[in-house]
Amino acid sequence: MPIPTRRPWTFLVYMAGDNNLDPNGVKDLKEMKKVGSNPSLNIVAQFDRASGHAARRYVMRKGGTVVADAVATVGKVNTGDPRRLVDFIKWGVKNYPADRYALVLWNHGQGWDDTDIYADERHRRLRRLAGGRARHAFFHAPVRRVLKSATHDPQARAILLDDDAKDFLDNLEMKKVLAETKKLLGRKLDVFGMDACLMSMAEVAYQVRDSADFIVGSEQTEPLDGWPYSTILAEVTKKPAMTSHELGALIVDKYVASYTHDSVTQSAGDLSKIGPLATAVAALTAALQTGLHDVATRQRILAARTQVQSYEVEDNIDLVDFCSLLKASMPGTPIGHGCQEIITAVSGYVVAQGHKGTDMKDSHGVAIYFPTQTVSPLYAGLDFSRATGWDAFLGAYLHAVRTR
């Protein structure tokens, strides 16, 4: 097969469907085929299916069948192995060159959290929406064995294996994959998208800040239909010269518009602005820790945490909503000023955001971890924790609330 000529955009869609999302993967490939690769863009995908199907690589063409678009069979793969993802990216970049690249990770998502959340779920049917939205780490398949040391070592990420050696891609591995992609391209990836649940978090964005220009994801869980690929790709076809910023905003707009009855969120962030946001969080962290010595301040923090916009995982809260609530209760104080700095920083970082549903009305595009019971021992290992000290505040706050 001849190598396609260089095009304005290449979409690389890495689909981990060796789980309950298999039929949704077929549906999304058909959506991509409604547009198909054309002079404006290459649409390439790798789809690992359930039930023993071999993973295949596709170049999506308009019309015809999905099977006819397969250009390579890569056999049985562990989609949670970062090496497999890097292999796919290398193949796509080499064979389908473009001026700009969008990498989309397609599957379940669990935000920053790499904990074995399946220990008490492995005997239940894991669903993304039907009967209640399930939350998952990237590229997980049914768990058979657990690396038990993970909950005791902040640096250890659980490697969850089944009989086929399936696991998930954790945030440390994701950082390494994008760093490798940057090296391959000789520059940052243009758009890093996650068609998955709960991934629009400050912690996730900060983890990949050095390797991509823009990031797209959802604060809330995603319905089974995920992104509306046909409408997104159709717009890129019409305007191949669109910038990375414009593509991020387009994905947000088309995603939210595609849902009528579901409560959804989606946002795009400029990763060049995540550093100033982390700096603002670090400043607020210092003010909050000082304020914990005051009973009234603790009560105001507790009140804000109680009222704040949260998501399917209640430990995830909207950062701007929390700061707005806290600022309103503590105007003119160091904490109030710190909250305003964060609100300003988020307005620079979030280039587009949308939400639908009254239960999502206080969403502003970026979530942050704020548990009400205990702080995960894994959290301290994230770049965001080290840069901001947010984990230290969380621990001090929970201790203060328990002992008041």
Side-chain angles (χ1 to χ4, degrees):
M1 181 177 178
I3 297 176
T5 57
R6 190 177 190 89
R7 294 176 176 174
W9 278 97
T10 288
F11 269 68
L12 302 162
V13 188
Y14 190 67
M15 307 174 71
D18 195 354
N19 48 53
N20 62 306
L21 293 181
D22 179 281
N24 303 100
V26 175
K27 181 179 179 181
D28 281 349
L29 287 176
K30 290 180 179 179
E31 285 186 5
M32 296 174 205
K33 285 184 63 58
K34 290 180 180 179
V35 177
S37 298
N38 56 66
S40 297
L41 77 161
N42 301 303
I43 307 171
V44 298
Q46 178 170 310
F47 185 27
D48 184 29
R49 301 197 59 184
S51 304
H53 290 285
R56 290 180 174 178
R57 289 175 176 169
Y58 299 84
V59 179
M60 310 313 298
R61 301 178 181 87
K62 188 173 183 177
T65 65
V66 170
V67 173
D69 289 347
V71 296
T73 299
V74 290
K76 185 178 292 186
V77 300
N78 172 8
T79 46
D81 183 344
R83 294 172 298 179
R84 293 293 192 169
L85 175 53
V86 170
D87 285 345
F88 167 67
I89 295 168
K90 287 181 177 178
W91 171 80
V93 169
K94 177 182 178 181
N95 293 287
Y96 306 96
D99 299 324
R100 295 188 176 94
Y101 295 89
L103 171 65
V104 181
L105 302 186
W106 182 103
N107 190 239
H108 296 297
Q110 178 56 22
W112 76 267
D113 193 357
D114 298 324
T115 307
D116 172 23
I117 62 170
Y118 304 100
D120 61 349
E121 297 181 15
R122 62 175 59 100
H123 298 302
R124 296 183 296 189
R125 180 176 177 82
L126 299 179
R127 298 158 303 184
R128 203 175 183 183
L129 179 63
R133 304 184 185 195
R135 49 195 175 90
H136 310 272
F138 271 132
F139 314 141
H140 172 82
V143 178
R144 296 296 177 86
R145 292 192 290 127
V146 178
L147 185 62
K148 296 181 179 179
S149 64
T151 56
H152 302 292
D153 180 1
Q155 299 302 317
R157 290 301 194 264
I159 302 175
L160 311 179
L161 305 173
D162 69 0
D163 291 341
D164 294 322
K166 302 287 195 231
D167 65 350
F168 64 90
L169 186 75
D170 65 42
N171 282 281
L172 298 185
E173 291 169 331
M174 186 163 65
K175 177 181 178 178
K176 292 177 181 178
V177 167
L178 290 199
E180 184 71 16
T181 303
K182 179 182 177 182
K183 182 178 179 181
L184 174 68
L185 297 176
R187 58 180 178 80
K188 292 182 179 181
L189 178 69
D190 298 282
V191 176
F192 175 47
M194 293 162 287
D195 187 2
C197 300
L198 306 166
M199 299 306 294
S200 186
M201 301 192 72
E203 294 89 346
V204 175
Y206 195 77
Q207 198 75 8
V208 299
R209 66 196 182 280
D210 294 328
S211 300
D213 287 329
F214 290 86
I215 188 169
V216 182
S218 173
E219 291 182 272
Q220 174 62 316
T221 48
E222 287 192 358
L224 279 167
D225 286 340
W227 289 10
Y229 288 95
S230 59
T231 57
I232 293 168
L233 297 172
E235 290 300 317
V236 177
T237 298
K238 293 177 184 177
K239 187 181 179 183
M242 72 168 53
T243 64
S244 304
H245 182 154
E246 290 173 326
L247 176 59
L250 170 69
I251 294 169
V252 171
D253 178 64
K254 296 300 183 182
Y255 174 86
V256 175
S258 70
Y259 292 99
T260 304
H261 303 294
D262 294 284
S263 294
V264 295
T265 66
Q266 196 76 201
S267 58
D270 179 351
L271 288 172
S272 70
K273 304 296 178 58
I274 194 66
L277 175 55
T279 299
V281 172
L284 177 62
T285 297
L288 287 171
Q289 287 187 288
T290 300
L292 287 177
H293 299 293
D294 177 65
V295 174
T297 298
R298 290 202 302 270
Q299 291 175 337
R300 291 186 179 101
I301 297 171
L302 176 60
R305 178 60 184 88
T306 302
Q307 299 171 50
V308 72
Q309 175 73 62
S310 62
Y311 300 97
E312 181 72 15
V313 175
E314 293 186 356
D315 286 351
N316 296 356
I317 64 169
D318 185 84
L319 180 55
V320 167
D321 191 44
F322 174 70
C323 286
S324 296
L325 290 166
L326 204 53
K327 177 189 171 186
S329 69
M330 304 183 70
T333 67
I335 290 177
H337 291 310
C339 285
Q340 181 56 55
E341 289 298 314
I342 287 180
I343 293 169
T344 300
V346 170
S347 70
Y349 164 70
V350 176
V351 298
Q353 71 89 21
H355 54 271
K356 188 169 288 183
T358 56
D359 55 337
M360 294 292 111
K361 65 182 178 62
D362 293 315
S363 298
H364 296 83
V366 59
I368 194 170
Y369 180 58
F370 197 138
T372 58
Q373 299 298 322
T374 59
V375 180
S376 167
L378 298 177
Y379 190 71
L382 295 175
D383 288 358
F384 186 81
S385 297
R386 294 168 177 157
T388 65
W390 186 248
D391 59 318
F393 158 69
L394 292 174
Y397 166 76
L398 292 176
H399 175 76
V401 169
R402 285 193 298 266
T403 57
R404 57 184 165 81

